[in-house]
Amino acid sequence: MAKLLQLLLSVAEKAANVARVCRQEASLFELLVQEKTGADKNKKFVQDFKTLADVLIQEMIRHDVCAQFPELAGFIHGEESNKFENGLGESVTVTVCAQEEDTTTLLAKVLDGDQNAASLLTKVIHQDLQIRDEMAESLQLSISPADVGIWIDPIDGTSQYIEGKEEEEPDEGFCPFGLPCALVLIGVYLRSTGQPVMGVINQPFNHKDSAGKGWKGQHVWGVSYEDVNVCSCTQRRPSCQQKKDYLSVLLSSSERPAVKDALAAISNGSLMYASGAGYKILCVVQGLVDVYVLSEGSTFKWDSCAPHALLRALGGGISDLSECLRAHVKGKEGHAAELTYHQPHTESHGVDRWANRGGIIAYLESSVLDKVVAALAGKI
């Protein structure tokens, strides 16, 4: 499993390179954006987008992982359909081919014959990139890749990636919107229980380079399995809870007024907002906030699996808000109701089959979970 982690770190960096290339080529980027429709449309947004960058990243990860771990074939899941429609109305199934020239030919068909753009993307997809991480290489895990599955969110925070606000993360605190909110998320879960055991988060747009022209990224990872709990995100800032009696609460700007009112009481009226579900959970991982709460079922397994593994490695978790509230009513204090990742909602269709439909609470400390549930009980 240490080898799988090293591979996921490398493919996540390749994915970040794809995301950056697609942003840097303005004409290419405008050509790639397509609107999601039908069963693939996320109901939370008036307009939701599918990009070729999304599809390429997902299929590249699937290709690279299965090449080294064929036992994972059929157990690598992603947000995106790999069907793409070009300007001629032709439907093309996007895959990564064994040979570069074949991938270029396929992408040129998607890109209405644009050979230059197709070649540029193919070069990034087929690059031989290996990330070295001594901590990851030293891990000893008694779990077989045949026992796990993978969730991929190629670009979490797609709307921020498309809008492309050139906001860098501040030295202190977090970025409420902009390119830093766009993340590559790769989560690994146990097929038997759905427990998240490994997560890799790559932030392609963390800061500008010294010349201020291009973007540089960063990555974090975590493993939580049996007695192994390791996270690369060790330099966390102290949470607000450690400094005062109130919690720092992070929400979506579209959160329900009743939730905002209830949580204002435990946050001293100072609620905070940011874009991207994965990014908001990353803020909890980094200790920038105490908790992220979402009352709607508008996140999905691919949004939460990777950062959930990191939180578990640090002693926290992500819980089903509705289940926690029901347990509270029944007097079952401390009921974590953590999310799992192996079973769909069989009565639902499209992306809703994999929705975290009870809402979520992401936290580092169980006492924070208890306070949030108590504050919301009977209010929503």
Side-chain angles (χ1 to χ4, degrees):
M1 284 294 283
K3 290 184 178 179
L4 177 60
L5 175 57
Q6 293 171 60
L7 175 60
L8 295 183
L9 288 170
S10 297
V11 296
E13 183 60 24
K14 283 177 66 175
N17 286 340
V18 173
R20 286 188 286 260
V21 165
C22 288
R23 285 285 325 168
Q24 290 164 3
E25 299 293 325
S27 59
L28 174 63
F29 186 71
E30 290 174 10
L31 182 64
L32 298 182
V33 179
Q34 294 191 348
E35 185 177 354
K36 288 181 182 175
T37 59
D40 286 335
K41 189 175 181 68
N42 183 339
K43 292 179 291 187
K44 181 178 177 183
F45 301 100
V46 177
Q47 275 192 315
D48 197 3
F49 297 96
K50 178 172 65 183
T51 66
L52 181 56
D54 272 328
V55 180
L56 281 175
I57 288 169
Q58 178 177 288
E59 296 309 309
M60 179 193 69
I61 293 171
R62 195 191 309 274
H63 173 272
D64 287 8
V65 172
C66 287
Q68 289 196 35
F69 297 96
E71 61 268 46
L72 280 165
F75 291 93
I76 302 177
H77 317 292
E79 176 185 7
E80 302 295 341
S81 165
N82 65 340
K83 301 292 191 298
F84 207 87
E85 189 173 296
N86 65 15
L88 300 176
E90 299 172 320
S91 180
V92 182
T93 299
V94 176
T95 59
V96 175
C97 305
Q99 302 300 321
E100 286 193 33
E101 56 266 29
D102 294 333
T103 302
T104 301
T105 300
L106 186 147
L107 292 180
K109 188 175 181 181
V110 176
L111 296 166
D112 300 328
D114 190 336
Q115 289 287 340
N116 288 333
S119 296
L120 181 62
L121 289 171
T122 298
K123 183 178 180 181
V124 179
I125 293 166
H126 283 273
Q127 67 180 316
D128 183 15
L129 187 156
Q130 294 185 353
I131 296 293
R132 296 298 304 272
D133 187 305
E134 291 184 4
M135 189 188 301
E137 292 171 7
S138 66
L139 280 178
Q140 298 292 325
L141 292 172
S142 58
I143 181 174
S144 167
D147 295 328
V148 302
I150 294 176
W151 277 109
I152 305 166
D153 192 343
I155 302 178
D156 182 67
T158 307
S159 63
Q160 295 303 310
Y161 176 64
I162 291 168
E163 291 169 13
K165 294 183 175 66
E166 300 279 325
E167 298 284 337
E168 291 187 81
E169 276 196 316
D171 292 334
E172 297 291 334
F174 59 88
C175 209
F177 53 81
L179 286 173
C181 299
L183 307 176
V184 177
L185 306 174
I186 309 176
V188 180
Y189 65 91
L190 291 178
R191 296 181 197 177
S192 58
T193 65
Q195 175 185 327
V197 293
M198 181 183 294
V200 170
I201 301 176
N202 192 298
Q203 186 181 34
F205 306 97
N206 177 255
H207 61 278
K208 294 285 187 68
D209 62 21
S210 57
K213 295 180 180 180
W215 283 90
K216 298 291 185 181
Q218 70 169 7
H219 70 261
V220 292
W221 59 267
V223 171
S224 178
Y225 179 69
E226 294 184 340
D227 59 347
V228 177
N229 288 285
V230 182
C231 184
S232 68
C233 187
T234 55
Q235 295 182 339
R236 307 197 325 268
R237 299 176 180 88
S239 70
C240 290
Q241 189 190 22
Q242 293 172 314
K243 293 183 287 186
K244 55 186 180 183
D245 295 331
Y246 296 104
L247 298 181
S248 54
V249 179
L250 190 58
L251 302 171
S252 296
S253 58
S254 59
E255 185 55 82
R256 288 186 280 170
V259 174
K260 293 179 181 179
D261 292 343
L263 295 179
I266 60 173
S267 66
N268 198 25
S270 181
L271 301 173
M272 295 178 285
Y273 305 93
S275 298
Y279 182 73
K280 286 192 279 286
I281 305 173
L282 178 60
C283 288
V284 181
V285 171
Q286 294 174 324
L288 299 174
V289 296
D290 293 311
V291 65
Y292 162 46
V293 180
L294 179 68
S295 67
E296 302 292 338
S298 54
T299 65
F300 300 85
K301 301 305 181 187
W302 50 79
D303 294 313
S304 55
C305 187
H308 191 171
L310 272 73
L311 284 173
R312 285 179 60 86
L314 293 168
I318 302 180
S319 295
D320 182 301
L321 173 57
S322 293
E323 285 192 29
C324 287
L325 291 172
R326 282 193 289 269
H328 183 85
V329 170
K330 295 178 181 178
K332 297 180 180 178
E333 299 296 334
H335 184 68
E338 285 204 58
L339 300 182
T340 56
Y341 296 88
H342 62 318
Q343 294 178 336
H345 305 297
T346 54
E347 73 281 7
S348 299
H349 302 282
V351 295
D352 289 337
R353 296 175 71 243
W354 298 105
N356 298 319
R357 59 186 184 184
I360 62 174
I361 308 176
Y363 59 94
L364 274 174
E365 301 174 13
S366 59
S367 60
V368 171
L369 173 64
D370 294 338
K371 287 182 180 179
V372 170
V373 171
L376 292 174
K379 306 289 178 59
I380 61 173

